[in-house]
């Protein structure tokens, strides 16, 4: 079935928008994971520092 020019254009635009949104979401989750990793790392370092502080006493 042949589609009209405007229909094809609209379909392409919709696909482009959804792809852009998916890419953005992926980037956001990556940033979020990095933030979580940094926080987690900071916490474990803090815990280790406390542990060693107690062991010295």
């Amino acid at each position: 079935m042949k589609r009209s020019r405007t229909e094809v254009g609209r379909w392409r635009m919709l696909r482009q928008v959804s792809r852009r949104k998916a890419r953005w979401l992926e980037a956001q989750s990556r940033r979020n994971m990095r933030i979580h990793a940094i926080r987690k790392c900071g916490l474990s370092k803090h815990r280790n520092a406390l542990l060693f502080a107690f062991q010295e006493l």
Side-chain angles (χ1 to χ4, degrees), residues 3 9 11-13 30 48:
R3 296 185 189 276
W11 182 71
R12 277 188 182 160
M13 285 295 289
R30 278 208 191 101
N48 285 347

Side-chain angles (χ1 to χ4, degrees), residues 16-51:
Q16 200 177 4
V17 165
S18 67
R19 275 182 180 171
R20 197 177 292 144
K21 201 177 280 183
R23 214 177 287 142
W24 181 82
L25 273 172
E26 204 176 322
Q28 283 295 104
S29 71
R30 278 208 191 101
R31 279 186 210 114
N32 220 5
M33 287 303 288
R34 217 175 80 220
I35 290 164
H36 277 300
I38 289 165
R39 282 186 187 155
K40 206 174 183 181
C41 185
L43 274 174
S44 63
K45 277 184 184 171
H46 190 67
R47 273 200 208 105
N48 285 347
L50 281 173
L51 255 174

